[in-house]
Amino acid sequence: IASARTPAQLIKHEELLELSRMFPFNFKYYPVLTREWPDSWPYTKGRITRVNGIRNGEEEVDVQPLLDVVPHIRNVHLRMCGGGSALEQLRRGLRQSGQTPLSFRSEAW
C-alpha cells in the first residue's frame, strides 16, 4: 500500500503497477491518494483509516476502508509507505480490530 496526497507523490508508481501485473499471485500494489486524484483514477481515494473518536484516552480507529481494499489482510505480508500519523493510526486500528497480517513493515515519509 502506497499512500500519498497527490499522484505526483507516488514513488515508482508505474514500476509497481508493472510488478503487480507480472506477479499477480505474489505481489499486489495498492496506490491510495488522499487529497487529489484525476477523474479517471481507478484506485483507492481517501484515507484507509478513519478516526471515530476517543475512547479511554485513545483514538478509536476504523480500518474498514483498508479491509475493503485488502479483505484477506490476515493472509498477507503488509507493507505500507505513507505519512507518520497515517501509519500510527493504521497500527492502532489493526490492533483495536484484532486484524493481524502475517507481517507488517512500514516506512514513514
Side-chain angles (χ1 to χ4, degrees):
I1 294 174
S3 176
R5 292 178 182 147
T6 67
Q9 292 177 325
L10 285 172
I11 300 168
K12 302 281 187 185
H13 175 66
E14 291 301 323
E15 291 91 337
L16 291 168
L17 285 173
E18 183 59 25
L19 276 174
S20 194
R21 285 189 284 271
M22 290 172 57
F23 304 102
F25 299 108
N26 298 323
F27 181 79
K28 302 286 186 203
Y29 168 59
Y30 300 100
V32 177
L33 294 177
T34 62
R35 300 262 173 93
E36 297 176 17
W37 47 82
D39 291 338
S40 61
W41 183 253
Y43 308 105
T44 303
K45 303 169 195 159
R47 301 284 303 256
I48 60 169
T49 60
R50 284 187 218 117
V51 176
N52 288 337
I54 305 290
R55 178 182 284 174
N56 299 325
E58 180 179 68
E59 284 183 330
E60 187 175 284
V61 180
D62 178 11
V63 293
Q64 189 57 52
L66 170 65
L67 298 176
D68 291 342
V69 174
V70 188
H72 52 287
I73 193 111
R74 293 175 183 216
N75 299 322
V76 303
H77 297 279
L78 181 63
R79 305 295 182 257
M80 184 177 174
C81 178
S85 63
L87 292 170
E88 187 53 42
Q89 286 176 351
L90 176 60
R91 284 187 195 101
R92 184 175 295 119
L94 289 171
R95 179 179 47 79
Q96 289 173 346
S97 67
Q99 298 290 335
T100 305
L102 293 174
S103 67
F104 178 64
R105 301 281 186 270
S106 63
E107 184 172 327
W109 41 259

